Amino acid sequence: MDPEQSRRDGAHRGADAAPARAVRRRRPRLPRNRTLVITLCLTVAAGFVVTIGVLGHSGAAGCPRTPLPEGRVREQSRYRAVDAKQLIPGTPRSLVICRYGGSESTGWNLRLRSGLSVDHRDIARVVQGVRVPLKPGDHSCPLLATMRHTSLIAGYTDAPDLVASISDGCGTLGNGILRAYFASGAARSALFASLPHG
């Protein structure tokens, strides 16, 4: 056999006998800024889910199925002074009117009847109409009278949102700090006349 041919054949067999090396493919790493964006998106999504869980299912105009508690959604003492003077202080950027009712069929629990998001062009007028003469204080009310209830949910740019409530039957109002009732029947009529209906 030709020595040169023998050498080539041996080299070929040696190459076949060599163990194959596993090829490792490195997973591409995301740039740091892209990783940060993904993390922020997941955080915002989680917060949105938590918010839905707290408020429950919403109905007309985004109103909760049952009334929210009066007051700021995040209590901050620096707003107590302004909240004590007006049911809806300042000029909110958004205003939602939620009307609730209850009866024996609902177990005397308030349930959403209607909801309306006030047009941004009308918010200032509606808020001004809500500022009727009031008398500080609260009084007891028969159960049947409490079954008509209106919530005003005011959204602010520079402050936590505020939930104010009006017990239609009792004539009492509150926003977590202010507790009052209408100074007169005329004041009561003027306030309800200022609230648009959906």
Side-chain angles (χ1 to χ4, degrees):
M1 178 183 292
D2 182 6
E4 183 62 25
Q5 181 64 37
S6 176
R7 186 181 63 78
R8 286 199 299 270
D9 291 344
H12 182 71
R13 284 193 301 271
D16 289 342
R21 292 184 177 179
V23 179
R24 280 190 169 184
R25 293 185 177 180
R26 298 183 63 183
R27 296 176 64 182
R29 298 182 64 181
L30 291 173
R32 287 187 177 182
N33 57 345
R34 186 173 298 179
T35 304
L36 178 61
V37 169
I38 293 174
T39 302
L40 289 173
C41 289
L42 291 174
T43 302
V44 171
F48 179 70
V49 171
V50 170
T51 301
I52 291 177
V54 170
L55 296 183
H57 299 293
S58 61
C63 291
R65 296 292 186 190
T66 56
L68 293 173
E70 294 175 358
R72 299 279 178 179
V73 295
R74 295 190 312 279
E75 179 62 29
Q76 295 187 17
S77 58
R78 61 179 171 147
Y79 298 110
R80 293 180 66 90
V82 294
D83 293 350
K85 295 178 181 178
Q86 299 288 351
L87 187 68
I88 302 291
T91 303
R93 60 174 171 76
S94 64
L95 184 65
V96 177
I97 302 172
C98 309
R99 293 180 171 89
Y100 298 88
S103 64
E104 188 175 2
S105 64
T106 66
W108 305 113
N109 294 313
L110 292 170
R111 295 288 183 266
L112 181 66
R113 295 287 188 251
S114 66
L116 171 70
S117 180
V118 178
D119 189 284
H120 70 277
R121 295 168 295 185
D122 299 325
I123 290 177
R125 177 181 58 79
V126 173
V127 169
Q128 187 61 38
V130 169
R131 291 174 180 164
V132 297
L134 303 174
K135 289 183 179 180
D138 203 351
H139 55 83
S140 60
C141 191
L143 177 63
L144 287 176
T146 65
M147 291 296 102
R148 300 196 309 276
H149 180 97
T150 301
S151 287
L152 306 177
I153 306 175
Y156 295 88
T157 302
D158 55 353
D161 293 356
L162 176 70
V163 179
S165 65
I166 306 167
S167 179
D168 305 14
C170 293
T172 56
L173 311 90
N175 62 10
I177 303 299
L178 173 69
R179 298 293 300 165
Y181 57 96
F182 294 108
S184 64
R188 176 175 177 162
S189 298
L191 183 145
F192 284 110
S194 70
L195 299 179
H197 286 265

